[in-house]
């Protein structure tokens, strides 16, 4: 049996494909390469010894997606990573974000229905909690106001999937709300490869530490946190990848829609990260404090107890591993996947 991995050449998808192969599963990747590169397949092959089947196709193209299902009647589950994810870009290109993220998901569900595939794991985000009503955030914490189209697509897709489940009660749908995925594969062969200036903290820090950028801008030091800088729940991407295997295992046994926070349950401030990174790598991270970034919240970290109790999953890698692996990836690949 095969597992369809949409967005499987992307950051989280590629790490999940490696974990799946190492667990003896057979992933099939579909990705339009809008935010990833085909060379990722070489890296997966180098790490695992296996080159997964790959379709370069856009999920918004129903004919192309139907072909993937038609040619692979043994697909039994889907992990749906494909989507556009840059918050700032979503504000300037709202139509593109709503179209891509929603139409791709609708097409995927149509194909799953047509071909009798009933297990779906979806990449949601802690962004659906908005400015969280409580900390740590539980799955029962009310959803909040999103501040950008990207975040709204995650909320809308969660709702769509809940509605799709109603007339299809034998489906199993897992909504995984990721906190802040960081780090890289320990081989240094796979990692995060953002286009242009990174929006997220970790890639920015690694680019500063390796001299690609002069300093980190810290977005505000006047939040109500232990040192005034924003607090987040950073999770190693390999831990996150493994959470998908646990969700898949459960999806094969139960039906329903289930929501899980996927984080470590620990909050680190921006200054904590700078210090941890410098200690783990021995590299300096010069920084300047600048104005707050619009839309940022002060504190966001998970109560990850449900994933542990129900999925039997919990994060294993600590902050030292996250910093060390992110730095190794950046050092071995100063220009990401570009030679
Ligand atoms: P990514 O951009 O590295 O991977 C997404 C992949 O989807 C890319 O390879 C891209 O080419 C592909 N894609 C996009 N639209 C497509 C389409 N219409 N058809 C086919 N392929 C398409 O992003 P990632 O960091 O690996 O994130 C994976 C998922 O997790 C996304 O849905 C993202 O929103 C979600 N998520 C990510 C984070 C994070 O911080 N990285 C946090 C929460 C949720
Ligand atoms: C951001 C997105 C969120 C998305 C998540 C993961 C916004 C408003 N939110 O969240 O929707 O799900 O990424 O992709 O963009 N920081 C700096 N300097 C930097 C970069 C970040 O100080 O150059 C700070 C931020 O203010 C924040 C922390 O570092 O306090 C983490 O930022 P980031 O990595 O962008 O993640 P989120 O803000 O959690």
């Amino acid at each position: 049996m095969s597992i369809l991995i949409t967005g499987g050449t992307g950051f989280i998808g590629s790490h999940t494909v490696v974990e799946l192969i190492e667990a003896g599963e057979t992933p099939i990747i579909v990705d339009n390469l809008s935010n990833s590169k085909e060379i990722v397949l070489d890296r997966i092959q180098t790490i695992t010894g296996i080159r997964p089947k790959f379709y370069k196709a856009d999920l918004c193209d129903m004919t192309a997606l139907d072909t993937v299902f038609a040619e692979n009647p043994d697909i039994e589950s889907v992990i749906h990573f494909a989507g556009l994810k840059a918050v700032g870009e979503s504000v300037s290109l709202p139509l593109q974000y709503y179209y891509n993220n929603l139409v791709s998901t609708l097409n995927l569900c149509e194909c799953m229905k047509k071909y009798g595939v009933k297990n779906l794991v979806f990449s949601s985000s802690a962004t659906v909690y908005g400015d969280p009503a409580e900390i740590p955030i539980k799955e029962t914490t009310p959803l909040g106001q999103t501040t950008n189209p990207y975040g709204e697509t995650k909320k809308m897709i969660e709702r769509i999937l809940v509605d799709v489940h109603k007339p299809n009660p034998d489906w199993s749908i897992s909504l995984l709300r990721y906190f802040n995925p960081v780090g890289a594969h320990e081989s240094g062969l796979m990692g995060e490869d953002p286009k242009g200036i990174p929006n997220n903290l970790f890639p920015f820090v690694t680019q500063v530490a390796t001299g690609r950028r002069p300093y980190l801008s810290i977005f505000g030091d006047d939040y109500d946190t232990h040192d005034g800088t924003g607090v987040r729940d950073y999770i190693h991407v390999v831990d996150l990848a493994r959470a998908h295997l646990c969700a898949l295992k459960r999806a094969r046994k139960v039906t329903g829609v289930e929501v899980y926070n996927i984080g470590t349950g620990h909050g680190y401030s921006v200054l904590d990260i700078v210090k941890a990174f410098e200690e783990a790598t021995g590299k300096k991270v010069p920084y300047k404090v600048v104005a707050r970034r619009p839309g940022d919240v002060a504190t966001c970290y998970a109560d990850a107890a449900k994933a542990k109790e129900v999925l039997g999953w919990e994060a294993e890698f600590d902050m030292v591993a996250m910093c060390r692996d992110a730095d190794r990836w950046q050092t071995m690949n100063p220009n990401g996947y570009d030679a």
Side-chain angles (χ1 to χ4, degrees), residues 24-39:
E25 302 280 1
T26 307
I28 297 174
I29 297 176
V30 55
D31 199 301
N32 65 0
L33 301 179
S34 61
N35 198 37
S36 56
K37 304 202 172 76
E38 210 164 339
I39 190 183

Side-chain angles (χ1 to χ4, degrees), residues 4 18 40 57 75 87 97 120 158 178 198 224 248 265 268 272 274 276 282 308 326:
L4 186 67
V18 164
V40 170
I75 292 172
V87 170
Y97 268 68
L120 176 65
E158 284 201 2
Y178 310 158
D224 184 15
L248 202 63
Y268 284 84
D272 291 337
V274 169
K308 185 176 176 184

Side-chain angles (χ1 to χ4, degrees), residues 85 87 125 127 147-148 150 179-181 199-202 204 216-219 230-232 234 270 293-297:
K85 64 159 186 179
V87 170
S125 165
T127 198
T147 52
N148 54 74
Y150 162 72
F179 281 67
N180 291 61
N199 297 306
N200 296 116
L201 179 64
F202 249 76
F204 211 104
L216 168 72
S217 296
I218 295 186
F219 299 145
V231 167
R232 297 291 184 274
Y234 297 93
V270 181
R293 178 172 65 180
D296 271 355
V297 300

